[in-house]
Amino acid sequence: MKKLSLFIFCFIFWILLTFQLDWENIFVGFIISVFVTFLFGNLEENGAGRKIRFGYFLLFFARTFWLWIKSAFVQIYISVSPQIPASENFEIKLRTSDAKSKAFLIMALNLSPNITVIAEKEDKLLISSHGRCEEKVIKDVEKLEKIIDKVIV
């Protein structure tokens, strides 16, 4: 029933988005709605039986999107600035060992300003920071880990 309601919602949203009842739009809307339903129909559960809280996922997504926007402006500033910050590499120990949690964390960190994840080993991340001190990066990682712990239960 959940997948059916997701399909109906996506199809209605598509029709409202295109605002035309041509057979091409209806056909493409049907195909896209089926695709979205199969892709996101089981979003609450992953293979290990752990659930994803959708509300906290939206919070995580909003925070990551904001970091991405902020990162773009920082990169623009660095590219027009005459001084290029020195790169500093260090390892950070993670609290989580779940593969999905690590993937969320690495994606969010790579979208953060002046942070690049170079490698991941067991429960450690090798991070390259451009102009940010290690303490600030560790605080950012801890904040993101807390949010991800709420997303994936």
Side-chain angles (χ1 to χ4, degrees), residues 62-78 85-88 90 92 105-117 127-134 136-141 144:
R63 178 171 165 64
T64 304
F65 185 75
W66 170 247
L67 289 174
W68 177 61
I69 297 296
K70 198 165 104 177
S71 177
F73 284 109
V74 167
Q75 292 302 324
I76 290 170
Y77 174 74
I78 288 174
S87 179
E88 180 182 348
F90 48 86
I92 294 179
L105 182 66
I106 290 170
M107 184 230 6
L109 286 174
N110 279 332
L111 292 175
S112 297
N114 298 337
I115 298 175
T116 306
V117 178
I127 293 180
S128 175
S129 174
H130 310 283
R132 292 184 70 190
C133 64
E134 186 173 352
K136 286 184 180 180
V137 174
I138 289 173
K139 282 183 184 179
D140 286 347
V141 170
L144 285 171

Side-chain angles (χ1 to χ4, degrees), residues 22-90:
D22 297 339
W23 70 271
E24 295 94 359
N25 287 334
I26 292 173
F27 178 72
V28 170
F30 180 81
I31 297 297
I32 288 176
S33 298
V34 167
F35 178 73
V36 168
T37 301
F38 281 116
L39 189 64
F40 295 109
N42 294 329
L43 184 63
E44 286 184 351
E45 263 190 52
N46 63 21
R50 298 180 68 192
K51 293 199 176 248
I52 294 177
R53 294 182 185 163
F54 194 67
Y56 285 110
F57 178 75
L58 289 178
L59 174 71
F60 171 77
F61 181 78
R63 178 171 165 64
T64 304
F65 185 75
W66 170 247
L67 289 174
W68 177 61
I69 297 296
K70 198 165 104 177
S71 177
F73 284 109
V74 167
Q75 292 302 324
I76 290 170
Y77 174 74
I78 288 174
S79 65
V80 298
S81 175
Q83 296 177 343
I84 297 176
S87 179
E88 180 182 348
N89 297 337
F90 48 86

Side-chain angles (χ1 to χ4, degrees), residues 13-21 25-26:
F13 183 75
W14 178 265
I15 296 299
L16 290 174
L17 191 65
T18 59
F19 208 67
Q20 292 179 352
L21 288 177
N25 287 334
I26 292 173

